[in-house]
């Protein structure tokens, strides 16, 4: 269900009905609702896509480097701490299964990082209008679930396991040396990411929930239109 399209269609019906039947209140509700919905729809689009002449659009791609750093820090801190590394040092060639580790990792910091990027972007003021970080808090669980699933899928690929074992076979069993190796491996993998890939990953995770911004933009716009028409 495309919530944005439905909201805009309903607002458009109010506009047409109010205009054709000379109903000022209905027309006002429709115009305000349509303006609110379309404005938020454009804002959601600008969050992911670069729009010519609109400064600050495409913030996800603009903050690409920051996301890569956040992902690296998450992996090195949560997956390859000294304790976890010591558990991996029993055998240089092993079938590494990171799923149990990933299932126990707290991914809330990843969502907090994404939220911080949005709040400190040009969309921060718009987010504040709709209740600030609390407005997007309901998407936290969905974000964490899909991020966890993506990490598990990546860690279970033969390519990833081969890369890890190859790196392990080329280094000593010292923890600091292994940490350096893992850090290099993570850098190599992240270097393969492109801004578009990061945008697609995040867009898949949260775009469905951002659609509610369009719905509430239409609702509040319509209420403002009703008040304006009555006054």
């Amino acid at each position: 269900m495309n919530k944005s399209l439905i909201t805009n269609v309903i607002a458009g019906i109010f506009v047409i009905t109010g205009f054709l039947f000379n109903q000022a209140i209905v027309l006002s509700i429709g115009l305000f609702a349509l303006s609110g919905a379309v404005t938020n729809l454009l804002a959601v689009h600008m969050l992911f896509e670069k729009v010519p002449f609109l400064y600050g659009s495409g913030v996800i791609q603009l903050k690409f480097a920051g996301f890569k750093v956040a992902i690296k820090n998450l992996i090195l801190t949560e997956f390859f701490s000294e304790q976890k590394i010591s558990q991996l040092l029993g055998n240089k060639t092993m079938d590494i299964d990171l799923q149990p580790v990933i299932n126990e990792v707290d991914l809330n910091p990843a969502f907090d990082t994404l939220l911080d990027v949005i709040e400190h972007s040009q969309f921060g003021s718009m987010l504040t209008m709709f209740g600030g970080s609390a407005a997007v808090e309901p998407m936290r669980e969905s974000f964490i679930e899909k991020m966890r699933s993506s990490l598990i899928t990546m860690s279970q690929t033969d390519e990833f396991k081969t890369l890890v074992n190859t790196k392990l076979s080329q280094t000593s069993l010292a923890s600091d040396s292994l940490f350096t190796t893992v850090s290099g491996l993570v850098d190599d993998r992240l270097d393969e990411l492109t801004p578009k890939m990061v945008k697609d990953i995040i867009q898949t995770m949260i775009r469905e929930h951002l659609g509610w911004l369009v719905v509430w933009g239409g609702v509040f716009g319509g209420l403002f239109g009703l008040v304006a028409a009555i006054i």
Side-chain angles (χ1 to χ4, degrees), residues 46-47 56-64 67 117 121-123:
M46 288 171 58
L47 185 63
S57 59
V59 64
I60 297 298
Q61 297 188 61
L62 289 175
K63 299 295 182 179
F64 168 64
F67 282 118
V117 170
S121 70
Q122 288 75 13
F123 295 93

Side-chain angles (χ1 to χ4, degrees), residues 34-229:
L34 188 62
S35 65
V38 171
T39 298
N40 284 358
L41 180 62
L42 178 61
V44 172
H45 179 76
M46 288 171 58
L47 185 63
F48 297 102
E49 305 292 345
K50 183 68 176 177
V51 180
F53 309 114
L54 292 182
Y55 174 75
S57 59
V59 64
I60 297 298
Q61 297 188 61
L62 289 175
K63 299 295 182 179
F64 168 64
F67 282 118
K68 287 178 61 175
V69 172
I71 293 172
K72 177 182 177 180
N73 290 338
L74 173 68
I75 293 175
L76 294 183
T77 301
E78 300 292 346
F79 298 165
F80 293 100
S81 62
E82 291 185 4
Q83 179 182 1
K84 292 181 175 64
I85 285 179
S86 64
Q87 296 174 358
L88 293 173
L89 293 179
N91 189 349
K92 283 188 177 182
T93 303
M94 62 190 93
D95 184 13
I96 298 176
D97 182 12
L98 293 178
Q99 181 170 351
V101 177
I102 297 174
N103 285 334
E104 296 179 5
V105 168
D106 180 13
L107 294 177
N108 281 286
F111 181 83
D112 293 335
T113 298
L114 173 63
L115 186 58
D116 182 68
V117 170
I118 296 176
E119 288 180 335
H120 289 83
S121 70
Q122 288 75 13
F123 295 93
S125 57
M126 180 172 293
L127 184 63
T128 302
M129 293 173 56
F130 293 93
S133 59
V136 294
E137 189 64 28
M139 71 177 67
R140 179 182 292 270
E141 292 301 321
S142 177
F143 176 90
I144 291 176
E145 178 183 346
K146 292 181 180 180
M147 172 68 83
R148 196 183 306 279
S149 176
S150 297
L151 290 171
I152 290 175
T153 299
M154 182 188 73
S155 70
Q156 291 178 340
T157 61
D158 292 337
E159 181 183 6
F160 181 85
K161 293 180 179 180
T162 300
L163 283 170
V164 172
N165 280 306
T166 299
K167 293 291 185 179
L168 288 175
S169 67
Q170 295 173 352
T171 187
S172 66
L173 293 182
S175 294
D176 56 347
S177 179
L178 179 56
F179 182 84
T180 301
T181 299
V182 171
S183 179
L185 173 61
V186 172
D187 281 332
D188 290 343
R189 295 293 292 172
L190 290 180
D191 284 341
E192 297 176 6
L193 290 177
T194 65
K196 183 180 183 303
M197 292 169 63
V198 172
K199 184 206 74 172
D200 290 342
I201 291 172
I202 297 176
Q203 189 176 42
T204 300
M205 292 178 181
I206 69 175
R207 184 147 200 172
E208 176 183 352
H209 298 275
L210 288 179
W212 284 107
L213 287 178
V214 179
V215 175
W216 289 116
V219 171
F220 286 114
L223 291 176
F224 293 150
L226 175 61
V227 172

Side-chain angles (χ1 to χ4, degrees), residues 22-43:
N22 197 26
Q23 297 292 320
I25 293 180
V26 176
L27 178 60
S28 179
I29 292 174
L31 288 174
F32 275 75
L34 188 62
S35 65
V38 171
T39 298
N40 284 358
L41 180 62
L42 178 61

